Amino acid sequence: MESSVQRGRGRSPFDLIMNQIRRKRTTSDRKSTSGRFLSRQAESGGLPEDRETEEERDGAGVVPGPADLAESVCDMGWGRVCVFVKRLGKRADSRTLSLAHCDLTATDVLELATLLPSLSLLEEMDLSWNELIGGCLRSLTSHLQNVGGLRTLRLSCCRLTADDITALGEALKCVPVLEVLDLSWNAGIGGSTLQGIVGKLHPTLRELYLVACQLTETDATILGGIVSVLPRLCVLDASCNPLLAHTQTEAEDGSMSETEPGKGGVWGLGGLVPSLSHTPSLTTLRLHDCGLTTQSLGLLGGSFHCLRSLCQLDLSCNKGVAGGLSLLSPHLALLSHLGGLDLHLCCLTHTDLQALIQALPSLTELTELDLSSNKEVGGVVSDLVSALPLSQIKLLPLNGCSLNQESLSALALALPYLRCIDVSWSKMVGGRLALLLEALQPSVTQELRLSSCDLTTDDLLHLAVVCKRGVLSSLRVLDLSYNGGVGEEGWCGLLGEGGLGSLEELDLSLRPLTSKPSLLTSNPSPLTWLPTLLSAFPHLPALTRLSLQRWTLTAQEREQVNHALRKREVLLELDPVLFASSANQEGLEEERYEE
């Protein structure tokens, strides 16, 4: 495709390259040429005609060698790449092309395709979150042979169609060293569309992401065919596909209907799990929100003898597994390298938890266990802590677990080792925070989340004392949101003591439903401790996010906060400014009464 400069001057690309080379001639070359020109002038008996064209003058000179010609072609191609990338607000890199969130269009994809010959060293291409390129991927994939060294290809949230996947499958033979493929958040992939890449991926692939692609039980079988020829696969993420493990049964008329748990049927994972035996290198398996059932757990557990390298297992947000963890737990002992197990929001029963607790001693390398948002956990914290290898546990979130006083006492035994402490949505913590704080060890805790814990002023004063002692000097995240019972003394005490030099995120927001200011309320939650907050900013050098939602600030107070943070890159979260004159307020009040 000719550039606008070429079209304007009427020259071919070859002529343009030749002219660029001639302009780079050394002074000696030009002198030599001038000598030859004068000799010819003397022999011909006069000067050249004044009508000599610019192209004739440019045409004089030495003929470039193949090396010079190739170098100029390369320079010109890379220049076009730089212009294209800069236009999209990105920086050009010969090995990494990151164009995510660039609002790319079909025209941009066509132009990018013509630039691939100039990106022969490219190893990573990210075109994610460009929804306008769906349906036109073929124009790009037909040129992938120019980037044969590509190792990472990310196309998440691009509205890919069946034709796009087919085109991608046809082009995958041109990228034999591809290691990472991300097709997540493309709803058009579900419904057998994955068939387009079956048998097309090379054994070099190490990571495959298919999050939120509306995959069905049919796709589970297709996915099984894909992974069965990927012996080096390390990461498989098929999360957020609630129909993936959808259980169906065939009626007499041939129609399919949902099967009730325990009544047999065709299991969706039945086409995928057996194929995992061909992925001995698998270290991460994520099936978050995939519609897993108790039958799924039994099937999955039976495959663990082939997955001895597994380090991370995510089965969270699958409420259908409730009551069936006993089918999985006995097989966990086979996963000797398991470091992370996520079962949050699975409606686990007391029986499920007891089965898990029996298996925990065999998981000697476990460092992260997420059982949050399972209300029954609150009653077994003591047994849970006793079964865990406490000295190596770094993550044990128990938010939304209906903790009681006995739970808090048992949890205190694990706190000295935890990197992240999350007991949010546990009302029992209010008035008893000191019990947890006294168990903390210096420079260990990096995240402390106490959202909606009914904290009191005394709780925050205890927290202030701990901060002053330097126990939380490594804390990066502090979430104290939705604790409207704390008084001004508590907020001032915490912010005035210091000791939070590493803090990056601070959330002090109030609860939306009970504390959100309205146009009819003059000042429901005034920030009376604002001066203390402002004076604390210099002692929070690492702060990148501050949330004060539902607190009422006047225009002047907002300006004070913005002024204090003017030279820092801090994300400040405040409620929108609400303007209403007295007349407007009366009108709103009348309208409310009429309703």
Side-chain angles (χ1 to χ4, degrees), residues 88 109 131 137 168 235 254 280 320 327 347 356 364 383 498 541 543 567:
L88 297 171
V109 173
E131 297 187 348
L137 194 63
L168 177 62
V235 178
L327 299 174
C347 295
L356 176 62
T364 56
D383 295 337
L543 192 67
K567 294 183 179 180

Side-chain angles (χ1 to χ4, degrees), residues 126 144 404 426 535:
D126 187 355
L144 283 185
N404 52 40
S426 300
S535 61

Side-chain angles (χ1 to χ4, degrees), residues 485-500:
V486 177
E488 179 180 355
E489 182 183 359
W491 297 118
C492 290
L494 174 65
L495 297 170
E497 291 296 344
L500 295 172

Side-chain angles (χ1 to χ4, degrees), residues 380-406:
V380 299
V381 174
S382 180
D383 295 337
L384 184 65
V385 171
S386 299
L388 287 170
L390 290 184
S391 60
Q392 63 189 43
I393 290 293
K394 304 301 179 185
L395 183 65
L396 183 63
L398 295 176
N399 50 296
C401 287
S402 299
L403 301 181
N404 52 40
Q405 189 165 355
E406 182 183 355

Side-chain angles (χ1 to χ4, degrees), residues 342-393:
D342 192 345
L343 292 167
H344 81 267
L345 197 59
C346 284
C347 295
L348 298 182
T349 65
H350 183 79
T351 303
D352 289 329
L353 294 168
Q354 289 298 334
L356 176 62
I357 289 171
Q358 292 179 13
L360 288 178
S362 63
L363 302 179
T364 56
E365 294 191 13
L366 192 68
T367 60
E368 301 179 0
L369 177 61
D370 191 347
L371 298 175
S372 60
S373 300
N374 288 290
K375 294 184 178 180
E376 294 294 328
V377 172
V380 299
V381 174
S382 180
D383 295 337
L384 184 65
V385 171
S386 299
L388 287 170
L390 290 184
S391 60
Q392 63 189 43
I393 290 293

Side-chain angles (χ1 to χ4, degrees), residues 202-482:
H202 292 269
T204 55
L205 196 74
R206 298 174 59 86
E207 300 179 21
L208 178 60
Y209 300 92
L210 295 168
V211 179
C213 290
Q214 293 190 6
L215 302 183
T216 65
E217 70 280 358
T218 302
D219 295 310
T221 302
I222 297 174
L223 181 56
I226 293 174
V227 302
S228 64
V229 293
L230 301 176
R232 300 182 188 177
L233 190 67
C234 295
V235 178
L236 176 60
D237 192 348
S239 299
C240 301
N241 289 290
L243 299 180
L244 186 66
H246 191 57
T247 305
Q248 292 188 338
T249 185
E250 187 174 358
E252 294 181 359
D253 60 359
S255 62
M256 302 297 289
S257 61
E258 187 174 356
T259 300
E260 296 180 12
K263 292 189 178 181
V266 181
W267 299 341
L269 286 185
L272 170 61
V273 174
S275 298
L276 296 179
S277 62
H278 300 284
T279 58
S281 301
L282 196 66
T283 60
T284 302
L285 177 61
R286 298 192 182 103
L287 297 173
H288 163 93
D289 188 21
C290 283
L292 302 186
T293 64
T294 54
Q295 296 99 323
S296 304
L297 292 184
L299 189 62
L300 188 60
S303 69
F304 284 170
H305 67 282
C306 301
L307 300 175
R308 296 181 183 271
S309 298
L310 203 62
C311 298
Q312 297 290 328
L313 178 60
D314 184 355
L315 306 177
S316 59
C317 295
N318 287 289
K319 297 182 179 181
V321 305
L325 204 58
S326 59
L327 299 174
L328 179 77
S329 297
H331 302 282
L332 289 175
L334 298 172
L335 305 179
S336 56
H337 298 292
L338 191 66
L341 178 59
D342 192 345
L343 292 167
H344 81 267
L345 197 59
C346 284
C347 295
L348 298 182
T349 65
H350 183 79
T351 303
D352 289 329
L353 294 168
Q354 289 298 334
L356 176 62
I357 289 171
Q358 292 179 13
L360 288 178
S362 63
L363 302 179
T364 56
E365 294 191 13
L366 192 68
T367 60
E368 301 179 0
L369 177 61
D370 191 347
L371 298 175
S372 60
S373 300
N374 288 290
K375 294 184 178 180
E376 294 294 328
V377 172
V380 299
V381 174
S382 180
D383 295 337
L384 184 65
V385 171
S386 299
L388 287 170
L390 290 184
S391 60
Q392 63 189 43
I393 290 293
K394 304 301 179 185
L395 183 65
L396 183 63
L398 295 176
N399 50 296
C401 287
S402 299
L403 301 181
N404 52 40
Q405 189 165 355
E406 182 183 355
S407 302
L408 295 180
S409 300
L411 179 59
L413 299 176
L415 293 186
Y417 310 100
L418 298 183
R419 184 183 70 245
C420 174
I421 300 172
D422 190 348
V423 291
S424 298
W425 305 95
S426 300
K427 307 301 181 185
M428 186 60 63
V429 176
R432 301 175 178 82
L433 185 60
L435 175 65
L436 302 180
L437 295 178
E438 292 303 320
L440 301 180
Q441 294 296 313
S443 303
V444 175
T445 308
Q446 297 182 13
E447 296 184 22
L448 180 58
R449 299 183 184 275
L450 302 167
S451 177
S452 191
C453 285
D454 274 356
L455 298 183
T456 65
T457 298
D458 287 340
D459 287 328
L460 256 67
L461 292 177
H462 282 299
L463 181 57
V465 172
V466 172
C467 292
K468 187 176 181 179
R469 294 206 309 260
V471 175
L472 297 176
S473 59
S474 298
L475 194 68
R476 295 186 297 104
V477 178
L478 178 58
D479 185 356
L480 299 174
S481 60
Y482 301 176

